[in-house]
Amino acid sequence: MVQSLSKVLKVIRDPRLAVALVNAQVRMQGRAQVPLSVRLYGKVHITGKGEVVFGQGVSLTGTVVPIEFVSRRGARITIGDHTFINYGTSISAHQLVSVGRDCLLGHYTFILDNNEHDSEQHNLVPPSAPVVIEDNVWIGSLVSILPGVRIGHNAAIGAGSVVTRDIPSYALAVGNPARVIRYLNMDKS
C-alpha cells in the first residue's frame, strides 16, 4: 500500500512522467501489451499481426525519430522490465526477438530476426532465427543485430557495430562484424 502511494505521488509531482505514462497507453493500447508503468516520450509505430509485449517500467524515447516495432503474423517481440529504448530504434520479428531486463538500447539500433529476402531469389523470405538479448545488456548507437544472435547478460556492444554471431556474457564487442575485444568483469570470464 505504501509503495503504491509513493508511486502515485511521484507521478503527481512530475507532470512530464504523467504525460509519458498516458502517452504510452494512448498510442500503444490495443496494438501491444502495455503495463501502466510503461513510459513513452514522443512517438512509436507498431505494425504487423504478431505480438509486442512490454515489461514493467519500460521507457521509450521516440522524440527525435519514432521507435518502430514490426511483428509479423505469429511472431513475438518481448521487452523486459526497466529496459530503455532510444529514438530511431527498429525491431522486426518474423519469429522472435527477445530483449531482457534492464537493457539500454542506443538510438538507431536495428534488431532483425530475418534478412527479409533471399540474396539470390529476391521474392523468397529466408528462414527466421530468433534474436535473444539477455539481461543488463548495453547496446551503443547505430548497432545492427542480425538473425540468430544471442547476446549474453551484462555484455556491451560498441557504437556502429554489426553483430553477426553470439556474444558471450560480460563481453565488450565492437566492429563490423562485432568481435569481443575484452571482458568487462574478469571474475566472470
Side-chain angles (χ1 to χ4, degrees):
M1 173 75 178
V2 173
Q3 188 177 19
S4 297
L5 182 60
S6 69
K7 288 180 181 180
V8 169
L9 290 174
K10 182 178 178 181
V11 172
I12 291 171
R13 286 187 203 125
D14 186 356
R16 187 169 182 249
L17 174 60
V19 168
L21 292 167
V22 170
N23 190 32
Q25 295 303 312
V26 169
R27 291 188 184 266
M28 295 191 291
Q29 199 62 31
R31 294 181 290 153
Q33 293 178 27
V34 186
L36 292 174
S37 61
V38 171
R39 301 174 190 112
L40 171 60
Y41 301 95
K43 295 182 180 179
V44 65
H45 295 295
I46 300 174
T47 60
K49 303 222 183 245
E51 284 186 284
V52 179
V53 180
F54 294 97
Q56 296 291 329
V58 171
S59 185
L60 306 153
T61 301
T63 51
V64 177
V65 176
I67 297 167
E68 175 184 56
F69 296 95
V70 180
S71 183
R72 311 286 184 202
R73 183 180 306 278
R76 182 175 172 91
I77 296 172
T78 62
I79 308 297
D81 295 346
H82 307 291
T83 288
F84 171 80
I85 301 176
N86 213 335
Y87 63 83
T89 293
S90 179
I91 300 176
S92 175
H94 283 251
Q95 183 179 1
L96 173 68
V97 172
S98 176
V99 178
R101 298 172 52 100
D102 300 307
C103 293
L104 302 171
L105 278 64
H107 56 275
Y108 298 108
T109 296
F110 291 93
I111 304 172
L112 314 160
D113 75 346
N114 189 289
N115 288 323
E116 303 294 332
H117 62 81
D118 189 75
S119 60
E120 294 174 4
Q121 297 178 339
H122 302 299
N123 295 330
L124 294 179
V125 176
S128 298
V131 173
V132 177
I133 299 169
E134 295 180 3
D135 298 341
N136 300 306
V137 172
W138 178 85
I139 298 172
S141 300
L142 298 164
V143 170
S144 295
I145 300 171
L146 300 182
V149 167
R150 175 180 285 272
I151 299 175
H153 62 278
N154 297 306
I157 310 299
S161 297
V162 178
V163 184
T164 60
R165 59 180 165 223
D166 293 354
I167 304 297
S169 297
Y170 295 96
L172 170 61
V174 298
N176 181 4
R179 288 183 168 69
V180 174
I181 60 169
R182 69 182 178 99
Y183 285 86
L184 300 173
N185 183 339
M186 296 311 285
D187 297 336
K188 303 294 183 186
S189 58

